[in-house]
Structures are given as C-alpha cells and as structure tokens.
Amino acid sequence: MAGEVDLGGEVLLTVKISNTRPVDLVDLTTSLMALAEEFRDFASRENEPAEIKLYVRELRSGSVIADLIPIAQQADWVLDHKDILGAFVGNLSDLVEFFLRGKGNESGATKMPSHEEAKRLSQILDPVAKDGGAQFNIQLSDHAKIEFHTHIHVDSIDANAIQNGVRRFLGPDLPAQLVRRDQLMVLEQVKNSTSSKTGDRAIIEAVWPKPVRLQFLSDEAKAKVLTLEENPFQKVFVVDVEVHSVGGKPVLYRVIDVKDALERP
C-alpha cells in the first residue's frame, strides 16, 4: 500500500471471508463493526490500561481479507504483543462453541454469554450465513505471517446454526408495552423517598438481565419497599409490573404492586 508505515513486528488479527458471491457492503461493514465492538468491550472487561480499538491495517485481495491491529487512544501506542488478541479470539471461539454445540471452554465451564455478545456474534457471521458456500476465518499472526494456534473457522452451515441458536437464546423482541405478573425483582438503586420518580433502577431477570430504570405507580407500592425493617437490597420482591420497551429492549419498569419480599439467595 502506498504510504504504508512499517510498524515492526506487531501482531495481526486477520479476518478472511471466503465468499462465493458478492458480499453486501452493509453486511460486511456491520460484521466488522460488531467484531470491533466485541473487542473493545472484551479489552475493557480485561482491565486494559487504556481504551483500545481495532483498526484496519490493510485490506487485501482474495475473497475479503482484513488485517486488524489494536491501538490505544494514547498517541500512536500500538500494542506489540499477542496476549490481548489471543485472549479475545479464545473468548470468541468459546462463544461459537456455546451456540454451535452448547458447550463452554475446554475445562468444561460454561460461560453464559450476554445478550450483547450473542447479538454481535450473529452480526459478525452474517455475511457467511447468507452465502451457502462461504467460510469465515480469523487467525492471529505476527508481522512475518507466522500463525499462532489461536484461530476460528466457521462455514455457512455452522454460521446459520449459530444464528438460529442466538435467536433462541435472545427470544422474541419485547412489545412496546406489556404487563407481567408475579415477577421477581431485585433493586440496584433506589431513592429513599416515596415521592421520588427518578434515580431508581432494578433487575427483573425474566425480562432482561441488566438494570432498567424503575418507577412505582403509587406511593403505597414504593412504601412497601422502603418501610421494610430489613435492607431492601437484600430482598427479592414479587411484583406486578408494566414493561415499556423500545426496539425490543426494556427501558422502563413501572411497578403496579409489590406483593411479597423474599430473602435473597
């Protein structure tokens, strides 16, 4: 490539989509964006010292081949070892195995993916799932193209099976509004006032695994939480609740009634 800067012996993450028909540009862009987002979140979970993103070092001919490198936000800091990339590809491989064969890593421990990880994996593999003869490969190598043992290979049949598994895992999108009865709710944060309408958040795992903004439809309902003698954060509340969603994702729980308070396991 004209003007290419020699970065020395950096480690490359090479993504290759072996296609049998033209790849939709939107599908390819979405796939690479999902891969980049998954890497950024993984690096953050691994407590890397700075925000790190994947950048395209080179696009090569021969199907669709992209060499990617991790760069931190600090000026021109190129990560020059394979540890974080190797761990990332290993984690991505575990996700593939989870949805393809219903198993976890080699130690036998099954890591439950998050909804975001599941969605991004489906997006990463979408160009291959749509092409009956396509294959997806991702591998780790150094500047001299010496391959390490960390790699992933998925053909179109497996990509479709993984996407089907993701759809089952995610379930149907939530409607804009519905009422759920007798739901188990745990508090993440709550204002110590029955009249407060902001700042409360809770988790209802049967609906969504993450905290969602919380409101109580009456002062009486919230009082059942605040007037407990025990710490309300150590309780599981049985509630009737309105679930308000946008794009299939809950954005607000409105508690109609608090029916019971159980000891938290």
Side-chain angles (χ1 to χ4, degrees), residues 112-130:
M112 185 65 68
S114 69
H115 278 56
E116 289 78 9
E117 286 178 308
K119 287 181 179 179
R120 287 194 289 256
L121 179 62
S122 180
Q123 291 172 331
I124 290 168
L125 297 176
D126 202 41
V128 175
K130 291 179 176 178

Side-chain angles (χ1 to χ4, degrees), residues 99 161-172:
F99 288 108
I162 290 168
Q163 287 190 331
N164 289 335
V166 168
R167 279 190 285 270
R168 289 191 297 270
F169 177 79
L170 295 177

Side-chain angles (χ1 to χ4, degrees), residues 2-21:
E4 179 178 308
V5 178
D6 186 1
L7 296 174
E10 85 274 17
V11 175
L12 301 175
L13 188 67
T14 299
V15 176
K16 180 178 180 180
I17 299 174
S18 302
N19 54 305
T20 61
R21 62 187 188 191

Side-chain angles (χ1 to χ4, degrees), residues 129-198:
K130 291 179 176 178
D131 183 345
Q135 296 181 347
F136 174 90
N137 291 278
I138 186 168
Q139 67 186 31
L140 203 56
S141 62
D142 68 8
H143 190 58
K145 298 298 185 292
I146 298 174
E147 296 179 17
F148 302 105
H149 292 296
T150 308
H151 65 276
I152 298 172
H153 171 83
V154 178
D155 62 21
S156 182
I157 294 175
D158 286 347
N160 276 282
I162 290 168
Q163 287 190 331
N164 289 335
V166 168
R167 279 190 285 270
R168 289 191 297 270
F169 177 79
L170 295 177
D173 286 344
L174 292 169
Q177 182 177 335
L178 78 159
V179 174
R180 290 280 186 91
R181 305 286 182 185
D182 299 322
Q183 298 297 295
L184 300 180
M185 180 185 78
V186 295
L187 298 172
E188 192 213 34
Q189 64 183 43
V190 64
K191 294 286 187 67
N192 191 27
S193 170
T194 56
S195 61
S196 176
K197 303 299 181 186
T198 61

Side-chain angles (χ1 to χ4, degrees), residues 15 19 25 45 64 70 77 86 100-102 106 130 137 140 148 152 158 174 186 189-190 207 212 228-229 246-247 259:
V15 176
N19 54 305
L25 182 58
R45 295 196 302 270
V64 179
W77 178 29
L100 189 59
R101 283 174 264 278
E106 292 179 359
K130 291 179 176 178
N137 291 278
L140 203 56
F148 302 105
I152 298 172
D158 286 347
L174 292 169
V186 295
Q189 64 183 43
V190 64
V207 178
V212 173
L228 286 175
E229 292 184 5
V246 175
K259 295 178 165 182

Side-chain angles (χ1 to χ4, degrees), residues 179-245:
V179 174
R180 290 280 186 91
R181 305 286 182 185
D182 299 322
Q183 298 297 295
L184 300 180
M185 180 185 78
V186 295
L187 298 172
E188 192 213 34
Q189 64 183 43
V190 64
K191 294 286 187 67
N192 191 27
S193 170
T194 56
S195 61
S196 176
K197 303 299 181 186
T198 61
D200 298 345
R201 294 172 65 82
I203 298 173
I204 302 176
E205 288 192 356
V207 178
W208 194 252
K210 291 187 175 182
V212 173
R213 183 184 168 201
L214 178 67
Q215 289 182 354
F216 293 83
L217 287 182
S218 69
D219 292 349
E220 291 77 14
K222 189 167 185 179
K224 292 180 181 179
V225 171
L226 296 180
T227 58
L228 286 175
E229 292 184 5
E230 301 91 344
N231 185 347
F233 293 97
Q234 299 301 317
K235 294 290 186 178
V236 178
F237 295 95
V238 181
V239 299
D240 292 342
V241 61
E242 287 181 3
V243 180
H244 296 256
S245 302

